[in-house]
Amino acid sequence: MSEANRTFSLCCLPAPTRCVLAVFLIVISCGYFSGLVQLHFQHASPGNLLPDSADVVRVYHGEPKSEPKSKLQQLLEADESLPFNGTGTMRPAFTTKSERRWKENLAKLSPEEQKKLLAEREGERQALLDWLRQGAPKEAYDKDELKLSKPLVITEDYIVGDKDAEGRATQVRITSIITDRCVRCHQESGADKDAEKYPLDEWQHLEKYLKVEEGPGPMELAKLAQTTHVHLIGFTMMYGLTGLIFSLTQWPTWIRVVLAPWPMFWQAVDIALWWLARLDPLAAQAILVTGALVAGGFGLQVLGSLLDLSGLSFPRR
Ligand code: HEC
């Protein structure tokens, strides 16, 4: 009696069962792939297919060595090319995200007009930053009037009082800027469904983003605990099943012993690193390595199992 007959193996399963397993493996690979797509949109800097080491450090550890800033200041200073969300940047709110047809409308202007518009929008951003650096005084917000610490070229609508000799504003309507550029999306039934959840239309809503903190902190504990729970259970189910299927193939025992539990093991290490990354940016960078180990193992498992199920790798008895 050969070894394959003594031990239970995929090849002894009836054809319909092998079909179910093959389809399962294909569908779960699609699920894995869509997870990567989500990762791309949520955390990768534009130009990167997947988050790079700077991205993971930013998300899991927080920005290294930066002066204490409020969340709002961070989001307005952050590079424009970062993802447009609460861990990336809100800077495009003054430009590309300021209206639905920004590109089309901009293209209609002459080069000089474009330059002027961009300069004025940059002035709005600088005015908001000026307010934040002054400690975000509530009085200026209530009165919709801020005395700038240095004059700015800015959109006409937001200028209060007279301009200086060079046509720059010295006082601006700070609350109006926030309303036009931010509240547009950040309010109930606003222009963006995701931003609706974080209203910025009143002082009490705005206030929590004005607190000055030591550098952008790491991912919030509540959020981290939630993704841990979801991923740990989800991934264990998924890699548990793919591992079990692979373990029943006819590949040499040593390969199966190593590869069958591989993705599940490295996924657990990966998740542990999400927590360690709060303390050490090096752990954040190691997330990329464990992520790659999981992906590689998972890919080989699926491929190896499909080959086995199809009867291509080993002759069917
Ligand atoms: C085009 C719509 C839009 C505009 C305009 C906009 N935002 Fe956002 N904002 C978003 C989206 C989308 C998110 C991510 C929401 C999520 O995490 O689901 C976000 C997230 C945020 C967050 C993080 C909320 C949190 O607790 O996670 C802050 C703070 C924020 N924006 C501030 C601003 C400020 C300040 C402005 C104005 C300069 C602004 N936003 C303009 C769409 C917008």
Side-chain angles (χ1 to χ4, degrees), residues 30-187:
C30 296
Y32 182 84
F33 184 74
S34 55
L36 292 184
V37 172
Q38 199 230 341
L39 210 56
H40 166 80
F41 285 115
Q42 200 178 359
H43 294 314
S45 306
N48 288 348
L49 201 53
L50 287 172
D52 63 12
S53 72
D55 294 326
V56 283
V57 170
R58 180 167 48 77
V59 173
Y60 289 101
H61 182 72
E63 212 82 58
K65 284 191 281 124
S66 47
E67 59 177 296
K69 286 176 192 170
S70 64
K71 178 88 182 172
L72 225 58
Q73 187 176 348
Q74 279 163 38
L75 287 173
L76 295 182
E77 283 180 347
D79 197 282
E80 208 157 358
S81 65
L82 290 172
F84 187 66
N85 60 32
T87 51
T89 183
M90 279 293 129
R91 205 159 152 173
F94 297 95
T95 52
T96 50
K97 299 281 185 186
S98 64
E99 51 198 279
R100 213 173 282 272
R101 303 179 156 275
W102 166 262
K103 245 197 191 143
E104 288 94 322
N105 292 341
L106 194 69
K108 285 186 207 136
L109 303 177
S110 70
E112 291 87 72
E113 286 170 327
Q114 289 186 3
K115 223 172 125 192
K116 177 162 176 282
L117 179 72
L118 289 175
E120 288 175 349
R121 295 295 176 87
E122 174 62 12
E124 295 174 21
R125 188 178 74 93
Q126 290 301 338
L128 211 49
L129 283 171
D130 193 340
W131 176 63
L132 293 168
R133 290 186 186 122
Q134 290 181 33
K138 181 167 187 296
E139 201 194 330
Y141 180 87
D142 288 339
K143 279 172 59 186
D144 194 7
E145 208 176 297
L146 174 79
K147 200 162 164 15
L148 294 168
S149 50
K150 76 174 198 289
L152 281 174
V153 173
I154 194 169
T155 317
E156 203 72 34
D157 294 352
Y158 304 123
I159 300 179
V160 181
D162 296 329
K163 296 187 223 175
D164 72 358
E166 283 157 66
R168 294 173 306 183
T170 53
Q171 286 189 66
V172 295
R173 287 187 218 289
I174 196 71
T175 323
S176 303
I177 298 179
I178 298 175
T179 305
D180 294 350
R181 298 293 172 233
C182 315
V183 177
R184 193 170 77 75
C185 291
H186 288 278
Q187 64 179 331

